[in-house]
Amino acid sequence: MTDLSTLRFFRTPAHSCSYLEDRQASTLFVDPQAQLSPELYSELSLLGFRRSGDYLYRPHCDSCNACIPARVRVDDFRPRRRHRRILKNNADLAVNREPARFSRELYNLYAAYINDRHGDGDMYPPSEEQFTNFLTCEWADTHFYGFRQQGKLVAVAVTDQLGDGLSAVYTFFDPALPERSLGVMALLWQIEQCQRLQLPYLYLGYWIRQCQKMSYKSQYQPLEILASGSWKQQTEPSDSGG
């Protein structure tokens, strides 16, 4: 194990929060000059860190703790009726591991997704440089899982392998196929992939109760959250989900 006390961290100045209006956010980054590795990444994931490009970070805000690290305990996960319906509707998709690097096919799908779903966010407009800097990594064990319908790429799950699970980094998909619920499908597939690899957890990033974009994660039970320095089962009541 790495002696985490030897790591240096840097904190960003306060900036507008991407998730909650009228709030200021700050982010803690691991020193980018540190020797990062999948092993260190796994240790820091237990402390709530995430990857963005080659950087490891976690929220570090003075007056807000709304961003709560969350993970699914996959062996105990039971899909809801809605989940089973989505898996059935996408049973015709083939899944392949794509090279975890820029390609024109991957980027075209990514750009279509950002333009349609995030035109009012800080990821708009998309660019090739943004794609590479955000999704790829020199030192992580990163996989791009591509979902194809008769050869056509319709969704990509960017996934990192950790010591005790998979980390769902990002998913982008064809916005012209809303009836397939491809974002949900990709997350369900990653849960199944954890089970196939005999890994106990799927790390989902941050659960934010007050933000609709992030609160959906409570649908995947049992969900564990990092609170007061330890992982505990989330007790937030969730809707029946159908």
Side-chain angles (χ1 to χ4, degrees), residues 72-84 87 188 191 195 219-223 240 242:
V72 180
R73 198 167 66 235
V74 300
D75 283 347
D76 297 323
F77 174 74
R78 297 295 180 268
R80 300 181 179 189
R81 186 164 61 250
R82 174 173 177 261
H83 295 155
R84 294 192 296 271
L87 289 170
L188 294 170
I191 291 174
Q195 294 168 342
Q219 299 176 22
Y220 302 93
Q221 296 290 339
L223 190 73
S240 60

Side-chain angles (χ1 to χ4, degrees), residues 210-226:
Q210 304 96 315
C211 177
Q212 186 175 2
K213 289 181 180 178
M214 307 296 275
S215 63
Y216 73 90
K217 297 175 184 182
S218 62
Q219 299 176 22
Y220 302 93
Q221 296 290 339
L223 190 73
E224 293 186 355
I225 59 174
L226 183 61

Side-chain angles (χ1 to χ4, degrees), residues 5 10 18 24 60 64 177 181:
S5 67
F10 296 93
S18 299
Q24 293 289 294
H60 193 76
C64 178
L177 300 172
S181 299

Side-chain angles (χ1 to χ4, degrees), residues 19-240:
Y19 302 111
L20 300 175
E21 293 184 6
D22 304 322
R23 296 205 193 184
Q24 293 289 294
S26 185
T27 305
L28 194 70
F29 283 94
V30 177
D31 181 359
Q33 300 303 315
Q35 187 172 353
L36 302 180
S37 66
E39 292 74 25
L40 177 60
Y41 182 12
S42 296
E43 292 179 49
L44 289 172
S45 291
L46 293 172
L47 301 177
F49 281 79
R50 295 280 286 168
R51 178 181 73 79
S52 178
D54 288 329
Y55 296 93
L56 288 174
Y57 74 95
R58 74 177 182 192
H60 193 76
C61 306
D62 287 330
S63 57
C64 178
N65 58 359
C67 296
I68 303 174
R71 66 188 187 184
V72 180
R73 198 167 66 235
V74 300
D75 283 347
D76 297 323
F77 174 74
R78 297 295 180 268
R80 300 181 179 189
R81 186 164 61 250
R82 174 173 177 261
H83 295 155
R84 294 192 296 271
R85 183 169 62 248
I86 290 170
L87 289 170
K88 181 179 179 180
N89 289 345
N90 288 286
D92 61 322
L93 301 184
V95 186
N96 300 295
R97 203 168 92 181
E98 314 281 339
R101 59 176 181 264
F102 176 89
S103 77
R104 179 58 52 189
E105 181 185 35
L106 290 166
Y107 176 72
N108 286 345
L109 183 63
Y110 172 82
Y113 173 77
I114 296 296
N115 286 331
D116 186 85
R117 294 298 183 97
H118 298 286
D120 60 348
D122 54 13
M123 295 179 68
Y124 180 85
S127 68
E128 296 178 9
E129 181 181 22
Q130 177 198 74
F131 175 97
T132 300
N133 291 343
F134 173 37
L135 299 178
T136 67
C137 183
E138 291 293 328
W139 50 263
D141 188 5
T142 301
H143 307 293
F144 286 3
Y145 290 109
F147 299 80
R148 294 178 179 273
Q149 180 187 21
Q150 297 181 340
K152 179 186 177 183
L153 186 69
V154 297
V156 176
V158 180
T159 309
D160 290 343
Q161 185 152 347
L162 306 174
D164 66 346
L166 298 177
S167 177
V169 176
Y170 199 67
T171 298
F172 55 95
F173 51 84
D174 188 342
L177 300 172
E179 71 282 357
R180 283 186 174 268
S181 299
L182 290 167
V184 176
M185 180 277 304
L187 199 151
L188 294 170
W189 185 90
Q190 288 173 93
I191 291 174
E192 293 178 343
Q193 181 70 350
C194 284
Q195 294 168 342
R196 285 187 286 267
L197 296 173
Q198 298 183 325
L199 295 169
Y201 300 110
L202 177 65
Y203 287 81
L204 299 183
Y206 302 109
W207 172 66
I208 306 173
R209 182 184 309 181
Q210 304 96 315
C211 177
Q212 186 175 2
K213 289 181 180 178
M214 307 296 275
S215 63
Y216 73 90
K217 297 175 184 182
S218 62
Q219 299 176 22
Y220 302 93
Q221 296 290 339
L223 190 73
E224 293 186 355
I225 59 174
L226 183 61
S228 302
S230 62
W231 289 93
K232 305 170 184 177
Q233 185 162 333
Q234 179 225 27
T235 57
E236 173 77 5
S238 55
D239 57 49
S240 60

